[in-house]
Amino acid sequence: MHEKLLSYGLDSLVVVPAVYNSDNRAEEKNVRQIKCFGNYDRFFYYRKQRKITRSIEELTHQYKPQIIHSHFVFSGGYTCLKIKEELGIPYVVTVRNTDLNLFFRRMHHLRGTGIEILRRADKIVFISKTYLDKLLEKYIPVPDRKAIVDKSVILPNGIDDFWFENRPRSAHSIENGKIKLLTVGAINKNKNQIIVSSVANYLRKKGYDVEYTMVGKIENRTLFRKIMDQGLTTYVEPKPKETLIEYYRSSDIFVMPSIHETFGLVYAEAISQGIPIIYTKGEGFDSQFPDGTIGFSVKRNDADDISCKVLSILDDYDNISAECLAKSAKFKWDTKVEDYIRLYQEIGYRH
């Protein structure tokens, strides 16, 4: 997104707060690292945020931004709130998985701060309508809901141009009756590969010829061993996009019923290659398209539901694959950046 904003002529500066002793970042255009807090500050939300805010306030006096965009509510939104109070600079915040499922859900003592950040924001971005609905229903007081809705916009993430530059010309098809399932993501409880392995085994017992491949970094070795002990799962270490694309293309259905997911770039990458997907009901990718268009939403830990949806995709595979190729254009960054520029202009940005 930053690269695209620069290519459209916006003077965009990305600020990366970091601990004092962190390694220096490799130089990137208009990206600035500021080392402004210690390791122990991470345990004290307000102390850490005040240190970050002081450093960024100094930077704003030099850089003189027209607007500020924090891509999280709690990690960055506090700074936006304080700078607006001090300097009157309008701000945008994006609501993400950690905001909903960590800060709002578990850190009750910070909810008031989160609500105030949203109240004072000039615009609020949601990656999916699912997250807007969840925020309103669970955490926003009824008197504040209309005001939140009125300044909220749904803007899904984009994916690298690479996926469109290398998009296949025709829909995918299943060969030789073999069903190849794929998951791309860190091996951990959240990505939920264990349930996909169970689904693969269930379908095999029903007489289907099923292969399951999971690609990603092993973050939970106990879970990894448990998955591999179930048998007939192929593990592949993380791969660059130039290699990963071949794993998408050689698979038939992308299955990742994550516990929580803000968006999930891998879903969009998969459909760009004509691969139908299975994603979690009520999480980030749900509601991007009507259910059944490019795949199906599922109950994350319901092997029967997931198995049923795999078979539903097989029943209409050619049409769903063709829809994947057509609908993936929604995630081109050129389109997304134009949406963001209009959003920024609505709250005072002038080119």
Side-chain angles (χ1 to χ4, degrees), residues 138-322:
K138 292 187 175 182
Y139 305 115
I140 302 301
V142 173
D144 291 318
R145 289 179 183 175
K146 184 179 184 303
I148 296 294
V149 169
D150 288 347
K151 59 185 174 180
S152 293
V153 293
I154 312 298
L155 286 176
N157 285 335
I159 57 175
D160 196 297
D161 288 344
F162 169 84
W163 301 100
F164 298 106
E165 293 165 357
N166 294 279
R167 188 163 56 175
R169 295 181 180 178
S170 58
H172 188 74
S173 59
I174 296 177
E175 299 177 356
N176 304 320
K178 185 183 291 292
I179 306 166
K180 299 178 181 179
L181 307 181
L182 174 70
T183 302
V184 176
I187 315 301
N188 57 36
K189 290 182 178 179
N190 185 58
K191 299 302 182 185
N192 213 10
Q193 290 94 343
I194 187 72
I195 195 71
V196 185
S197 176
S198 299
V199 167
N201 285 327
Y202 173 82
L203 290 172
R204 290 185 194 111
K205 292 176 182 177
K206 292 290 185 180
Y208 294 92
D209 187 1
V210 179
E211 291 182 0
Y212 174 44
T213 300
M214 56 184 189
V215 180
K217 180 182 178 182
I218 301 171
E219 292 185 349
N220 186 325
R221 291 205 165 270
T222 301
L223 180 66
F224 173 72
R225 287 193 293 269
K226 188 174 180 181
I227 294 170
M228 300 308 288
D229 286 345
Q230 289 186 351
L232 300 175
T233 294
T234 300
Y235 168 68
V236 178
E237 294 180 347
K239 298 294 180 184
K241 60 181 181 288
E242 293 80 6
T243 305
L244 183 59
I245 194 171
E246 298 304 325
Y247 284 92
Y248 283 123
R249 290 179 174 178
S250 62
S251 300
D252 300 314
I253 302 175
F254 184 89
V255 188
M256 194 173 77
S258 300
I259 307 301
H260 298 297
E261 197 78 62
T262 298
F263 176 67
L265 292 175
V266 288
Y267 299 120
E269 292 171 0
I271 67 170
S272 78
Q273 302 306 302
I275 307 304
I277 61 174
I278 287 178
Y279 46 94
T280 307
K281 188 184 295 293
E283 288 300 318
F285 207 83
D286 192 16
S287 79
Q288 297 291 340
F289 303 101
D291 215 29
T293 305
I294 46 80
F296 291 93
S297 64
V298 295
K299 300 173 185 176
R300 61 196 182 197
N301 288 318
D302 189 332
D304 289 338
D305 185 31
I306 298 171
S307 300
C308 180
K309 296 303 169 48
V310 167
L311 298 179
S312 294
I313 289 175
L314 296 179
D315 286 341
D316 194 25
Y317 192 88
D318 291 347
N319 287 330
I320 294 176
S321 176

Side-chain angles (χ1 to χ4, degrees), residues 15 17 34 52-61 79 83:
V15 181
I34 53 171
I52 293 173
T53 299
R54 282 197 296 270
S55 296
I56 294 183
E57 278 180 341
E58 294 174 7
L59 192 57
T60 59
H61 288 294
T79 295
I83 290 177

